Amino acid sequence: MTTIDIKDAGGNAAGTAEVSSDVFGIEPNVHVMHQVVRAQRASWRQGTHNTRTRGMVSGGGRKPFRQKGTGRARQGTIRAPHFRGGGVVFGPHPRSYAFRVNNKEVKLAMRSALSAKLAEGAFTVVKEFGFEKPSTKAAVAMLKALGLEGKRLTIIVRDEDVNAYLSFRNIPKTFIITADEANTYDLVNNNAVLMPADIAAHFGEVLA
């Protein structure tokens, strides 16, 4: 088991928690994290780029000049690729960039990302957010007390904690997701990660 420190909303120590070493204490597998992040980013590409071939461009319906006797190379259409306004050779066409990574690698990448953040000291766990109502002012004060003010931050909230979501969402450089939405890219694309203790325990169970 790995011990993590828990803080309260004021940045004070609020105890410790035991979490699975298989999730928070492994040697990060950088190669697998890279593969999973590449797969995520590739799947987001629209792939709608397109170029016209010689059969798609307008014009060129007749032979530009006779076959023989001109001293020039024979040509069949002015829309061949070497003519201005002609088709494009080997240009991009609509396609999907997505590729699959198996589920074991996805989980290993998540475990690696969490372990790396904890080892770097970029992993903060609070007992609970405890917002009674949406308040950006209170959220900014919490981040300042936790030493996270101004950092590029991924905040993981509970599905039902609407007040926390509404409190954090207007703060610059913060990205809020739920535990079900957590992924390797969002865990590594930041300077620090913040989450409640029960979500950290949840990750320790589902990723072990």
Side-chain angles (χ1 to χ4, degrees), residues 2 4-6 17-20 23-24 114 118 123-127 156-158 179 193-208:
T2 299
I4 58 174
D5 296 323
I6 300 176
E18 296 290 331
V19 292
S20 174
V23 177
F24 291 92
L114 291 169
L118 183 60
F123 185 79
T124 304
V125 176
V126 293
K127 188 173 183 179
I156 304 178
V157 302
R158 303 183 188 95
V193 176
L194 173 66
M195 67 179 70
D198 57 344
I199 291 182
H202 170 72
F203 285 146
E205 293 174 359
V206 299
L207 297 175

Side-chain angles (χ1 to χ4, degrees), residues 33 87 90 115 197 203:
M33 284 196 291
F90 304 132
S115 296
F203 285 146

